[in-house]
Amino acid sequence: MTLKKEMLPGTLDMLILKTLERGTQPMHGYGIAQFIRQISNDVLRVEEGSLYPALQRLAIKGWVKAEWGVSDKNHRARFYRLTAAGRKQLRQEVADFEAVLEAIMRVLRTA
């Protein structure tokens, strides 16, 4: 992952899960990376070397399901969709992230 700003560890998994939650259709890796880049105003850039191991890890945990398909550019690609377990994991990761963010903000406001 290339970042203009450093990100907390584990945040990539949460961003992938959130990206897949928003769509009604499965997404391929390139589409996931492009969405994160665009929606973050080009602050977060997910490199293939980080994205595909993360997707594999999420698939092994049962949080996403992958299927082969054909992209809109007629390329063979793996498409990922969020599972029910992934949706539950996303809720937990967002809650954990918000707790850490609140703690950091409390420190920043008083320091």
Side-chain angles (χ1 to χ4, degrees):
M1 172 178 285
T2 300
L3 300 172
K4 291 181 179 176
K5 304 290 182 189
E6 193 168 323
M7 192 184 312
L8 293 172
T11 307
L12 177 59
D13 291 0
M14 180 179 61
L15 295 177
I16 292 170
L17 294 173
K18 183 64 181 175
T19 299
L20 292 174
E21 180 190 50
R22 74 167 205 36
T24 57
Q25 299 293 321
M27 296 178 73
H28 51 67
Y30 181 77
I32 294 169
Q34 288 303 306
F35 177 81
I36 292 171
R37 183 176 178 171
Q38 290 170 357
I39 206 71
S40 71
N41 291 330
D42 209 24
V43 173
L44 305 175
R45 296 182 188 185
V46 183
E47 301 294 331
E48 287 183 14
S50 298
L51 177 65
Y52 291 103
L55 286 166
Q56 181 65 24
R57 184 174 56 251
L58 296 173
I60 289 169
K61 291 180 178 179
W63 297 339
V64 301
K65 185 171 182 175
E67 296 176 345
W68 286 102
V70 178
S71 73
D72 53 352
K73 295 186 178 182
N74 208 26
H75 295 128
R76 188 168 187 252
R78 288 189 83 176
F79 286 81
Y80 300 88
R81 65 180 168 83
L82 193 62
T83 65
R87 200 171 304 280
K88 181 178 177 183
Q89 181 63 25
L90 174 61
R91 285 193 301 269
Q92 182 61 53
E93 291 197 19
V94 168
D96 292 347
F97 182 83
E98 288 175 345
V100 170
L101 185 59
E102 279 182 40
I104 291 170
M105 293 307 294
R106 280 194 301 270
V107 171
L108 290 177
R109 287 184 192 123
T110 59

